[in-house]
Amino acid sequence: MFTGIVEERGTITAKEELADAARLTVRGPTVTSDAAFGDSIAVNGVCLTVTALTGDGEFTVDVMAETLRRSSLAGLAAGATVNLERAMRADGRFGGHIVQGHVDGVGTIVAISPTENWTIIRIALPPSLRRYVVAKGSITLDGVSLTVSAVGDSEAGPWLEVSLIPTTLTHTNLGQARIGSQVNLEADVIAKYVERMTSGPATESEARS
């Protein structure tokens, strides 16, 4: 489990395309300082398992086809900047909100509005995620725990807005975001559990998913 508090911006140093997966090598001196084989590290909000450590601040992860389909990792190449966070320690501070590292979908940035002290970013939401997003609720964007400042619907579809302070822009890759950029979205798991408990027994397809 994670909290959405990014520890460092890492860099993808290599990407190997496999038959039904991809292998990423990522440089992240902070998150590898105490990492071991089998540990979990969130890469742009995707929980991945460390399969190798090089000893010079790099680690390797395998990304299966399902994860590539559901996230923006498929579109990343060597040189890309990614947000990194180690799994939360049981005795650590809960700085953000409950983040599983299980991406629900990909959103597209449709507007960026800088102000004097912060920047407002609007993201087009996949319609299937609209019901989980509420104003002042939590959302994870590329692994960053954020508060939804506004949510709405337009002719083009549902959208949400977040307000980013300078620290977030400086210490995460959201500061490099542009209109058209894609971001991994993870809705608040509490909303999903509430929906499940109030909607009756799970269907056969849900049980298999």
Side-chain angles (χ1 to χ4, degrees), residues 1-5 85-86 88 93-99 143 145:
M1 187 179 75
F2 307 89
T3 72
I5 305 300
E85 181 190 357
R86 288 169 288 190
M88 180 184 177
R93 286 188 182 275
F94 210 108
H97 71 283
I98 299 173
V99 177
S145 172

Side-chain angles (χ1 to χ4, degrees), residues 147-173:
T147 299
V148 177
S149 56
V151 61
D153 298 277
S154 67
E155 292 184 1
W159 53 266
L160 69 86
E161 287 182 348
V162 293
S163 299
L164 306 182
I165 62 175
T167 297
T168 303
L169 294 170
T170 300
H171 292 283
T172 76
N173 66 4

Side-chain angles (χ1 to χ4, degrees), residues 8-9 46 58 64 99 109 127 143 171 193:
E8 69 176 322
R9 291 186 302 174
V46 181
E58 293 187 344
M64 62 183 180
V99 177
I109 294 176
H171 292 283
Y193 276 124

Side-chain angles (χ1 to χ4, degrees), residues 76-159:
L76 298 182
T81 301
V82 290
N83 295 324
L84 301 176
E85 181 190 357
R86 288 169 288 190
M88 180 184 177
R89 290 169 51 104
D91 61 351
R93 286 188 182 275
F94 210 108
H97 71 283
I98 299 173
V99 177
Q100 295 181 297
H102 302 162
V103 171
D104 293 306
V106 176
T108 302
I109 294 176
V110 294
I112 300 175
S113 304
T115 69
E116 183 178 356
N117 296 307
W118 65 83
T119 295
I120 300 171
I121 294 182
R122 177 174 288 196
I123 298 105
L125 269 173
S128 61
L129 298 186
R130 173 63 176 88
R131 64 187 183 273
Y132 301 127
V133 181
V134 297
K136 308 309 177 185
S138 297
I139 190 76
T140 308
L141 268 63
D142 268 358
V144 184
S145 172
L146 295 166
T147 299
V148 177
S149 56
V151 61
D153 298 277
S154 67
E155 292 184 1
W159 53 266

